[in-house]
Amino acid sequence: MQKGKLVVLGSINADHILNIEHFPRPGETVLGQQYKVAFGGKGANQAVAAGRSGADISFIACVGQDDIGERIRQQLSSDSINTQAIEAVDGETTGVALIFVNQEGENVIGISAGANAAVTPDYLSKHQKLIENADALLMQLESPLETVMAAAQLARKHNTQVILNPAPARELPDDLLSNIDVITPNETEAEKLTGIAIKDDASAQQAAEVLHQKGIKTVLITLGSRGVWLSQNQQGKTIPGFKVKAVDTIAAGDTFNGALVTALLEGTEINAAVRFAHAAAAIAVTREGAQPSVPWRKEIDSFLQ
Ligand code: ADP
């Protein structure tokens, strides 16, 4: 089978996660229970989901000149990702998320963009051939917005399909939205983009209409365990997800996006591509963690049998 080429442009983070009894107050020190470092960042999670589900994928990103950056690059290679466009930036640290999780499972997070901020339009132009020669470009919003906008514009010029997962939630300029082919907000992100709270089918379709009016042909609003709202040609419907026993929904959306793009690049029509992505995300929510929970192609195929 002839597979299309995918480029992911996005973030790489090292997540430092500490479980503690309660969040420290200013000046307080709290002894933690369990500490771990996990590889994350929405760009990296989605690249891993695409690589493991079978895409021919290159990843444009930056790490710092540090040990963890090198370890992350090696891990991404072993997840079937071409890492030639991941550079280690002089004098920078790899992006970091410092995460406290309390006994109620709530979290507080501080982020240092670090080397992710070095994914500038100049950096993009060094690797622009990848986008020019690709069939699809998948991005999120953890990279500088001016780079996301420049990449979308470049892709449009070269007939590379643009898929945007608009996370984390923020408003976006029309100049960017008009260069997007497929957008995949969750309910919070859809509300932030359109001003319409997603409460039912009618409001989901209203939000989709706003995005269609900006020039986006395919709108997929992810609805957690309920699946997605798919709208094309001004017509919308729910495509339900799979019922599984969820233990940890971290990276559900990232897994959905990576697998969706893999299927689209294999020429799968949209309904079946969404079903494939639902299966990948359903497997991911039955397992703990972000990247460790992302399934390989064999697992998705046998889930769907
Ligand atoms: P995000 O993680 O970006 O907030 P969602 O929560 O909307 O995204 O979930 C994205 C996709 O992950 C859903 O469309 C669905 O395929 C899958 N998913 C999420 N939660 C569950 C769940 N509890 N059971 C099965 N699938 C789920």
Side-chain angles (χ1 to χ4, degrees), residues 38-166:
F39 298 159
K42 290 181 193 299
N45 294 345
Q46 294 183 21
V48 167
R52 290 191 194 163
S53 62
D56 174 355
I57 171 197
S58 299
F59 187 17
I60 301 176
C62 287
V63 291
Q65 261 191 349
D66 44 22
D67 200 39
I68 194 140
E70 187 44 37
R71 280 200 285 140
I72 291 173
R73 242 163 70 97
Q74 282 170 16
Q75 176 62 44
L76 292 169
S77 287
S78 64
D79 283 320
S80 297
I81 295 164
N82 179 336
T83 60
Q84 269 169 5
I86 303 177
E87 293 184 26
V89 185
D90 240 356
E92 271 296 353
T93 50
T94 296
V96 164
L98 299 178
I99 306 172
F100 284 132
V101 182
N102 70 8
Q103 276 187 326
E104 281 74 47
E106 298 166 320
N107 56 46
V108 292
I109 305 177
I111 286 200
S112 158
N116 292 311
V119 183
T120 58
D122 271 355
Y123 184 76
L124 169 70
S125 51
K126 269 174 82 178
H127 298 287
Q128 72 180 60
K129 278 266 166 299
L130 280 175
I131 292 177
E132 291 174 14
N133 296 332
D135 299 286
L137 168 68
L138 170 64
M139 297 188 287
Q140 315 75 31
L141 300 174
E142 286 185 339
S143 307
L145 189 64
E146 52 177 356
T147 312
V148 173
M149 292 181 71
Q153 202 175 21
L154 178 72
R156 178 54 62 92
K157 197 168 144 208
H158 292 269
N159 286 322
T160 303
Q161 209 189 11
V162 182
I163 298 96
L164 180 70
N165 174 231

Side-chain angles (χ1 to χ4, degrees), residues 186 189 222-225 227-228 241-242 244 246 249 252-254 256 277-278 281-282 285:
N186 66 13
E189 291 145 10
T222 62
L223 308 168
S225 61
V228 298
F242 290 98
V244 290
T249 58
D254 291 338
F256 179 89
H278 275 331
V285 303

Side-chain angles (χ1 to χ4, degrees), residues 23 26 43 45-47 62 66 101 113 144 155 168 181 185 193 199 213 224 232 243 249 269 302:
F23 297 135
N45 294 345
Q46 294 183 21
C62 287
D66 44 22
V101 182
D181 298 287
L193 282 175
K199 294 181 301 236
Q213 272 159 25
Q232 279 183 320
K243 283 208 170 21
T249 58
E269 64 80 36
S302 63

